Amino acid sequence: SFLTGRAANKSARDSEKKQARIESKYLGQQLSELDKIESNLDPVYQSKMGVAQGQFSQDLGALSSETGQSKEDLQLNFQNMIQKSGLATSGTANTKNSQMYKRIGNAFTRGQQGLMGRLGQNLGGIEEWYEGEKARLGSEKQWHFKKKLLILNLVLFFQK
């Protein structure tokens, strides 16, 4: 009876150890998958920024045709407006890009400035998405890593 109980206990521990190893392997795969997703984030971000800037360039060309000003002059005017407003540099060093672009988008809403406002809103939305995804992925990775560490500790415990 004692030997049977001991054999059953050993069998249960072996089964738990096997389950912990399987779960640890699964969590390792999940961490690898999160790394892949995170590495694909930057190209998507760059693509979205390119589309927004391309749209701005197109709108700038249309505005140039309407006003007779060159695109370069209009671009310079926009840069000067942002610098004079202090929106691009106001705040702390910890200010997120999305917040800066949103402030620019909200400040410029009419006429020639409306073009800059739309660009600010578009870039702000992209930055907000990017910052959110980075934070979400970081949290998920941290959770998976902690759980894997816990399981590895269980595996070590069962080996005793």
Side-chain angles (χ1 to χ4, degrees), residues 77-88 104 108 116:
N77 288 343
F78 288 133
Q79 289 171 355
N80 288 336
M81 284 190 309
I82 289 173
Q83 285 180 340
K84 286 179 185 175
S85 71
L87 291 173
I104 291 170
F108 302 112
M116 186 50 122

Side-chain angles (χ1 to χ4, degrees), residues 32-81:
S32 292
E33 189 63 30
L34 287 170
D35 284 338
K36 286 179 195 172
I37 291 169
E38 190 172 28
S39 70
N40 289 331
L41 213 65
D42 284 334
V44 172
Y45 167 78
Q46 294 299 328
S47 175
K48 286 180 178 234
M49 290 298 269
V51 168
Q53 290 167 346
Q55 182 63 49
F56 175 73
S57 181
Q58 219 174 18
D59 292 346
L60 196 62
L63 184 61
S64 174
S65 295
E66 288 175 24
T67 62
Q69 288 183 285
S70 72
K71 282 176 72 171
E72 293 76 19
D73 287 344
L74 289 171
Q75 185 102 26
L76 190 60
N77 288 343
F78 288 133
Q79 289 171 355
N80 288 336
M81 284 190 309

Side-chain angles (χ1 to χ4, degrees), residues 87-133:
L87 291 173
T89 56
S90 64
T92 66
N94 294 331
T95 300
K96 295 179 180 177
N97 284 340
S98 61
Q99 292 170 338
M100 176 192 66
Y101 286 130
K102 292 281 185 179
R103 283 197 313 260
I104 291 170
N106 291 331
F108 302 112
T109 57
R110 293 190 325 260
Q112 189 174 342
Q113 294 180 349
L115 183 58
M116 186 50 122
R118 283 193 304 279
L119 176 64
Q121 288 294 331
N122 289 341
L123 296 180
I126 293 166
E127 286 290 341
E128 205 168 56
W129 165 82
Y130 183 70
E131 291 162 1
E133 284 298 296

